[in-house]
Amino acid sequence: MNTDTFASLKELMDNLECDAHNNPIAVQEIKAQCEKVLELIQHLQFTESSPHVQLATKQALQYIQRALVEAEDYTNGLNSMDANRKENLMDICGPAHAGLEIILNLSPN
């Protein structure tokens, strides 16, 4: 398997900033990281043909896409006075971390 891809994914997970609250800049950074993660996972999906890698990439992609949807909802909520708006970045980081964990569990290291 591609060790560079796994190293990049591990680095992205280690640098995922989830502590900020009501910070649109932090949300944009997380979105950018999630988009990079999507790119790397899709690379694995197309270069590795084993069934367990295909299943793991499919599941991980679903989690990362969920994180991106949550990030969009969070950003939209910052501009509203809605009492139900999202104020916790863990709504974004939870799915992102889950997707990354699934993929990183495939790493031989």
Side-chain angles (χ1 to χ4, degrees), residues 75-85:
T75 302
N76 292 339
L78 290 176
N79 299 324
S80 88
M81 299 305 289
D82 184 3
N84 296 322
R85 73 179 188 188

Side-chain angles (χ1 to χ4, degrees), residues 16-52:
L16 204 58
E17 181 59 52
C18 296
D19 296 331
H21 293 281
N22 290 331
N23 185 343
I25 296 169
V27 174
Q28 292 305 318
E29 179 64 26
I30 292 169
K31 281 177 67 174
Q33 289 172 318
C34 285
E35 289 167 358
K36 179 65 176 167
V37 168
L38 268 179
E39 194 177 297
L40 292 166
I41 293 172
Q42 287 171 335
H43 173 74
L44 278 177
Q45 188 178 34
F46 292 119
T47 58
E48 300 291 332
S49 61
S50 70
H52 73 281

Side-chain angles (χ1 to χ4, degrees), residues 70-103:
E70 292 291 338
E72 192 64 35
D73 289 348
Y74 183 98
T75 302
N76 292 339
L78 290 176
N79 299 324
S80 88
M81 299 305 289
D82 184 3
N84 296 322
R85 73 179 188 188
K86 296 185 181 297
E87 294 184 5
N88 187 341
L89 291 183
M90 287 311 296
D91 291 338
I92 304 165
C93 292
H97 273 281
L100 283 162
E101 285 289 340
I102 289 169
I103 289 300

